[in-house]
Amino acid sequence: GFYALIYEGGEARRITSLDAREEAPAAFHPNIFCYDEDSSCLEGPCDCPGSSDPARQFAWGDVVASGLSVGVPGVVRGVERLLKEKGTWSLAQAVAPAVKIAREGFPISHHHRFRVEYSLDRLALNDAASALYLNASRTGPKY
């Protein structure tokens, strides 16, 4: 998420805030994580009978590794708005260091390597994640 608290001194002497936290995807609804045998809860609201029964709920790993639990990021829009309203840099100037790192890469830490190795099974389920992190056979890290 992204939140900014801006103090303007001088004669203005005011505090403003900007909340640009992530939002749920447009297709999200209150019963999205309920499980039923015909998967009707995945397509829209339903009664989700037995949703308090653990046997009728999605497993934590299935929810986390799916698109169901993804929030739509608000960081870039928040930074863009902050720069436009209060900044002296353009968005391109502000993100230039991140663009450089994205293009050229960076050395990963031991912790990052461990997290990739720990998540091999889940990463292998997604073509984009596999291309980024896994070897051609999807059996180990790319590095």
Side-chain angles (χ1 to χ4, degrees), residues 24-35 41-48 51 58 68:
F28 193 86
H29 56 81
N31 294 326
I32 196 83
F33 296 117
C34 298
Y35 171 81
C41 286
L42 296 177
E43 298 168 6
C46 67
D47 293 336
C48 288
S51 62
F58 286 110
L68 297 174

Side-chain angles (χ1 to χ4, degrees), residues 1-6 15-21 74-75 78-79 82:
F2 177 84
Y3 177 81
L5 186 65
I6 303 113
I15 297 174
T16 54
S17 64
L18 174 62
D19 180 3
R21 291 191 47 113
V75 174
V79 170
L82 189 61

Side-chain angles (χ1 to χ4, degrees), residues 96-120:
V99 170
K100 182 177 190 283
I101 289 170
R103 287 189 175 137
E104 297 174 9
F106 60 94
I108 64 168
S109 67
H110 293 288
H111 177 74
H112 183 90
R113 181 181 175 92
F114 169 79
R115 296 304 304 169
V116 170
E117 290 171 350
Y118 179 79
S119 303
L120 286 176

Side-chain angles (χ1 to χ4, degrees), residues 69-132:
S69 61
V70 175
V72 178
V75 174
V76 175
R77 177 166 279 175
V79 170
E80 179 183 43
R81 181 174 168 195
L82 189 61
L83 288 168
K84 186 176 182 179
E85 294 178 7
K86 306 288 184 189
T88 57
W89 283 3
S90 69
L91 181 61
Q93 288 172 303
V95 301
V99 170
K100 182 177 190 283
I101 289 170
R103 287 189 175 137
E104 297 174 9
F106 60 94
I108 64 168
S109 67
H110 293 288
H111 177 74
H112 183 90
R113 181 181 175 92
F114 169 79
R115 296 304 304 169
V116 170
E117 290 171 350
Y118 179 79
S119 303
L120 286 176
D121 292 342
R122 286 186 284 168
L123 291 169
L125 297 173
N126 181 284
D127 291 336
S130 293
L132 186 60

